[in-house]
Amino acid sequence: MAIPKYQQIKDELKQQIISGKFENGDKFYTEAELIQMFNVSSITVVRALNELANDGYIIRQQGKGTFVSRARKHKLVEFSDVETFPIQKDKVTVLSIKRGNDLKILDKLELAPTQFYYKIDRVRRTGDKIYIYHQTYIPEQYINPNYPDMDYYSSIYNRFKTDYHIHMNDEHFEETNEIVFPTPKDVAKVLEVDTNFPTVHQVKITQLESTGQILEYSETYKRGDFFKIKFISCNRDH
């Protein structure tokens, strides 16, 4: 599916803002600069700018110009997994890719009963030890049914970026993590641990910020002895 030009421009400009190229309150590109920069019409540029303004990244002031918003949303707390092993040994294997329309999952993805999704099961390992089991559900429109092999979906976020120009890490998401004990039997079997071995159950929903469409519903189980997170408070205005 071809990505509209205005969407490509919007995404690239959004990335520049998020990356810190502009300070809050800085004057942004003019329409003329963007027309020349991307070699597109003024209609395309205006639409991209209007969508950035609607999402809160820029402010357009009549007679003054366009400015990077001082009030745009920032993460007040950043958190990340702390890996307890050399990341170079990390490897993802796709176990299965199946088309489905179970009503419970359709409800999670806010799809109609007549629609379909794809479930992608993957494991992540370091050396010969499996430590993560991913179960990811993606609306059918974002899956290429003619994928050459299952490894094509070893990185789902890369597929969204490459195939649909969607940067999943920049979209809105909600995530919960809880310690599970005992571990479900089917999960313990995949992780090759006993059911009495604790795991961390992560549920995540990612939405397209511009429309609210759900792009991904996932359930992930991680071995408890590989679970360690770090929290950092930050204020990007200072």
Side-chain angles (χ1 to χ4, degrees):
M1 183 173 65
I3 307 300
K5 190 66 178 179
Y6 80 87
Q7 183 70 44
Q8 296 178 37
I9 294 172
K10 175 195 171 185
D11 290 345
E12 182 169 333
L13 295 177
K14 176 180 169 182
Q15 281 297 114
Q16 291 188 28
I17 294 172
I18 292 174
S19 69
K21 181 175 181 178
F22 296 90
E23 295 293 331
N24 292 348
D26 278 357
K27 193 163 185 177
F28 201 53
Y29 299 113
T30 65
E31 290 182 17
E33 287 172 334
L34 292 173
I35 289 170
Q36 183 175 11
M37 187 184 306
F38 294 101
N39 191 27
V40 294
S41 69
S42 61
I43 295 175
T44 300
V45 164
V46 168
R47 182 165 184 182
L49 290 173
N50 285 343
E51 294 217 354
L52 282 173
N54 290 338
D55 290 347
Y57 288 95
I58 60 174
I59 295 174
R60 309 194 70 195
Q61 297 181 353
Q62 186 69 31
K64 293 184 178 180
T66 302
F67 301 85
V68 176
S69 174
R70 294 180 181 276
R72 74 179 192 273
K73 293 179 287 185
H74 294 286
K75 296 181 178 119
L76 298 179
V77 176
E78 294 181 352
F79 73 94
S80 61
D81 283 337
V82 177
E83 302 301 352
T84 56
F85 59 91
I87 195 68
Q88 293 82 359
K89 296 182 179 181
D90 198 45
K91 181 182 179 182
V92 177
T93 302
V94 180
L95 302 179
S96 63
I97 303 175
K98 297 179 181 179
R99 186 172 183 257
N101 69 334
D102 181 276
L103 290 177
K104 290 182 180 179
I105 301 301
L106 290 172
D107 185 59
K108 298 286 188 184
L109 292 169
E110 296 183 356
L111 296 175
T114 56
Q115 293 181 283
F116 287 82
Y117 57 81
Y118 275 81
K119 180 189 179 188
I120 303 175
D121 279 12
R122 299 170 297 155
V123 292
R124 189 178 296 268
R125 70 181 78 225
T126 177
D128 60 355
K129 184 176 291 186
I130 296 173
Y131 71 100
I132 288 183
Y133 174 33
H134 297 286
Q135 302 171 83
T136 306
Y137 302 85
I138 306 292
E140 184 176 38
Q141 73 182 95
Y142 293 109
I143 294 293
N144 176 6
N146 299 315
Y147 55 87
D149 52 61
M150 290 201 297
D151 284 346
Y152 188 75
Y153 280 101
S154 60
S155 173
I156 293 174
Y157 280 20
N158 188 55
R159 291 269 58 86
F160 269 102
K161 178 181 177 182
T162 303
D163 298 345
Y164 303 101
H165 209 67
I166 295 174
H167 299 264
M168 292 289 277
N169 288 319
D170 295 335
E171 301 300 336
H172 174 76
F173 71 87
E174 292 184 11
E175 176 184 309
T176 61
N177 291 267
E178 65 173 329
I179 305 298
V180 178
F181 182 81
T183 296
K185 289 183 180 179
D186 59 329
V187 174
K189 183 177 180 180
V190 174
L191 291 176
E192 300 175 352
V193 297
D194 188 87
T195 55
N196 291 323
F197 198 95
T199 52
V200 179
H201 182 210
Q202 177 193 89
V203 177
K204 185 175 183 180
I205 294 177
T206 305
Q207 294 177 279
L208 191 62
E209 190 173 283
S210 59
T211 65
Q213 180 191 15
I214 295 178
L215 301 170
E216 166 200 43
Y217 169 74
S218 68
E219 293 198 35
T220 296
Y221 288 87
K222 186 172 187 176
R223 285 177 53 129
D225 55 341
F226 280 80
F227 181 69
K228 185 178 181 181
I229 60 174
K230 177 171 66 176
F231 291 88
I232 303 173
S233 63
C234 58
N235 186 338
R236 292 178 62 182
D237 289 334
H238 295 284

